[in-house]
Amino acid sequence: MPLLDIRNLTVAFDTSIGLFKAVDGIDISVDAREVLAIVGESGSGKSVAMLAVMGLLPATATVTADAMTFEGRDLLAMSPGERRAIIGKDIAMIFQEPVASLNPCFTVGFQIEEVLREHLGLTGRASRQRAIELLTDVGIPDPAERLGAYPHQMSGGQCQRVMIAIAIACNPKLLIADEPTTALDVTIQKQILDLLVRLQAEHGMALIMITHDMGVVAETADRVIVQYKGHKMEEADVLSLFERPKSRYTKALLAALPENAVGDRLPTVGDFRFEDELGGAR
Amino acid sequence: MSPVLEVSNLTRDYHVGGSLFRRAHTVHAVKGVSFSLEKGRTLAVVGESGCGKSTLARMVTLIDPPTSGDILIDGEKVDITHGVPKQLRRKVQIVFQNPYGSLNPRQKIGDVLTEPLLLNTDMPAAQRRERAYEMLVKVGLEPEHFNRYPHMFSGGQRQRIAIARALMLNPSFLVLDEPVSALDLSVQAQILNLLADLQDEFELTYVFISHDLSVVRYIADEVMVMYFGEVVEHGSRDAVFGDPQHDYTKTLFTATPRADVESIRARLARKAQLAEVSA
């Protein structure tokens, strides 16, 4: 049984010009201890699908699915209270802008311990001890001291480490990372990707990486889903995807990588005709 | 041939004012940078945030005056302590990273493109309009876009407009400050192609600021690597990518994600091995 299983997910937004389907009939499933990458350009619906799982979409969004189960339990049918007990504990998420995701008014320590208190009922010395452990685990030097620091006193890379510490605080079974390194420098990106992959292996978590960067996919994923305009274009294990892409859209994306340039012109996605795949991809 | 742009020993310090709680101090953003760039070439400046590459861009674009050092454009020494003379302003143009932030939302595209001519030349209105139409076609847009507003365009189209605006005055060189990092992969390829085509057609000279090594490898003739305000490596693209000398350059290369099949295979093999050891 897959850990997270989504069948025929559609997310529609009510806009002034009518209903807009950001995600249109997508199946996603991820097994325990698997790294799944969802890759696509802006507007492909890659983030929206995961926000639907987390229940973080605004009220204008309508989420429908034939099934959305986590460990066999239906996320859409359960009460908000039951769902809250899972979200943040068994399923955690980190976002693109680490500095903006943390609350500037509270210390890093407070924000980590808040999760521990809410989901695990840890308080006082036990919770502080666990927070130090977590900061050590994500590689922040001098963790006991840093618990008292505010987000603005840390760099972008360190803030992302704190976000990861909060996300893994309750030993989640699934971690969703939405463009976790896009705002960071290359050398810091490498550190954060290595950290995520190490934590995934050590804690036996499943990891969903949402990204637009084929390099990040190549460095982390076991399996890949390629999305375009709310449709799934291709799903394959990482090696087959790079070696023998089936969809013309995937071929176009790989060809547009500057490192794959042949001659002095880059092929652009427009050079590949793939719009007809949109209908067939469902 | 004399270089289009020559920079010698350029430095820039920022004085951070003190307050009740903090002492005033000086940040050395750029510490003595020298290079020269010939017509029709592309120099890529690579480095991480805070390494001074954007400060360098602002100085060669004559936005900020340098603390010390000389800038020579077309062999003439530049002194902007008393404002930038008009004929100099025409020689240098810049394209910024964020195409959403660098266009005025209340200005029609036609006005965006004709404004540099209005401010810097005596060209009559009809001729300005004519030049704007031509330029729109050159950068791959349509003449009917003339009367539209920026919000009606996608990110890639806006970056084309920003490039068109920069080219209106036939500048000696163009500073491109991370021109494709805010764009999707497919759009990025289109803009890089456009820049290459324009360079061929007009013999343009580019100073290309970027943190993305795969883009740099594709577009640059020369590469300059900056680290904490200093140039740690400078050479032809093939020399820097083929045989990096400085430790920091090597660190940058190893940190760049690799998307080729062999690297993926190697990673999966390492992973399988690790799983076996722990099992």
Side-chain angles (χ1 to χ4, degrees), chain B:
Chain B
M1 200 167 64
S2 73
V4 172
L5 172 67
E6 209 175 344
V7 160
S8 62
N9 224 351
L10 210 58
T11 65
R12 171 80 208 190
D13 298 340
Y14 286 106
H15 298 285
V16 181
S19 68
L20 185 56
F21 305 108
R22 192 177 289 177
R23 269 175 48 196
H25 63 116
T26 306
V27 177
H28 304 286
V30 173
K31 310 170 189 165
V33 170
S34 308
F35 64 88
S36 73
L37 185 59
E38 279 176 14
K39 193 169 173 58
R41 307 266 295 168
T42 302
L43 169 74
V45 183
V46 186
E48 304 198 344
S49 45
C51 75
K53 59 187 194 298
S54 287
T55 304
L56 179 68
R58 291 174 69 86
M59 286 192 288
V60 297
T61 328
L62 316 179
I63 297 172
D64 277 349
T67 306
S68 71
D70 292 328
I71 301 174
L72 279 80
I73 295 172
D74 290 332
E76 277 176 64
K77 195 168 174 241
V78 174
D79 178 17
I80 61 161
T81 40
H82 306 293
V84 183
K86 264 190 188 173
Q87 80 276 8
L88 254 182
R89 182 76 290 166
R90 303 179 50 167
K91 290 187 171 179
V92 191
Q93 291 292 321
I94 185 165
V95 175
F96 293 101
Q97 172 172 5
N98 183 353
Y100 295 88
S102 52
L103 296 173
N104 181 347
R106 296 183 172 218
Q107 203 176 24
K108 287 181 181 170
I109 300 314
D111 297 329
V112 171
L113 296 185
T114 51
E115 194 173 37
L117 296 174
L118 177 72
L119 293 175
N120 292 291
T121 68
D122 306 325
M123 220 180 258
Q127 206 182 337
R128 290 201 298 264
R129 203 157 44 233
E130 205 48 49
R131 292 261 293 122
Y133 283 135
E134 282 170 29
M135 192 53 79
L136 278 174
V137 177
K138 284 246 164 62
V139 297
L141 296 167
E142 308 286 333
E144 60 257 37
H145 290 149
F146 191 87
N147 280 319
R148 296 196 187 160
Y149 287 98
H151 75 264
M152 302 160 120
F153 294 91
S154 67
Q157 285 176 317
R158 282 182 222 205
Q159 203 58 305
R160 286 174 193 268
I161 295 165
I163 292 169
R165 172 174 62 184
L167 293 178
M168 286 307 283
L169 290 164
N170 288 324
S172 297
F173 68 91
L174 199 56
V175 177
L176 303 154
D177 191 355
E178 305 258 14
V180 294
S181 24
L183 305 176
D184 271 333
L185 191 55
S186 58
V187 183
Q188 165 179 312
Q190 291 168 8
I191 297 293
L192 290 176
N193 282 337
L194 172 68
L195 289 171
D197 290 345
L198 291 170
Q199 186 165 43
D200 287 347
E201 192 175 340
F202 302 107
E203 247 203 307
L204 289 173
T205 311
Y206 293 147
V207 177
F208 193 97
I209 316 268
S210 181
H211 68 276
D212 187 336
L213 288 166
S214 56
V215 170
V216 167
R217 184 177 212 153
Y218 171 72
I219 201 160
D221 297 311
E222 291 169 44
V223 180
M224 195 162 93
V225 183
M226 288 185 72
Y227 186 56
F228 282 113
E230 275 171 284
V231 175
V232 294
E233 188 143 359
H234 183 189
S236 75
R237 173 188 59 180
D238 295 340
V240 173
F241 278 88
D243 182 23
Q245 297 299 318
H246 196 272
D247 283 345
Y248 177 67
T249 318
K250 290 176 192 163
T251 313
L252 266 187
F253 285 146
T254 44
T256 304
R258 303 171 65 95
D260 56 301
V261 174
E262 288 75 54
S263 317
I264 299 172
R265 205 170 264 144
R267 174 177 70 83
L268 292 176
R270 276 200 306 275
K271 190 170 175 176
Q273 209 172 16
L274 269 180
E276 233 168 73
V277 170
S278 57

Side-chain angles (χ1 to χ4, degrees), chain A residues 211-264:
Chain A
T211 182
H212 68 278
D213 188 337
M214 280 296 186
V216 171
V217 176
E219 293 268 338
T220 56
D222 297 329
R223 200 156 52 83
V224 187
I225 291 177
V226 182
Q227 263 182 236
Y228 177 71
K229 287 197 179 163
H231 294 264
K232 191 198 281 182
M233 304 303 273
E234 182 162 1
E235 179 168 355
D237 66 89
V238 63
L239 200 56
S240 336
L241 187 94
F242 280 84
E243 223 169 16
R244 298 177 301 276
K246 282 197 204 72
S247 142
R248 269 163 287 160
Y249 177 68
T250 316
K251 284 180 193 161
L253 272 187
L254 290 172
L257 286 174
E259 55 259 49
N260 292 351
V262 186
D264 56 357

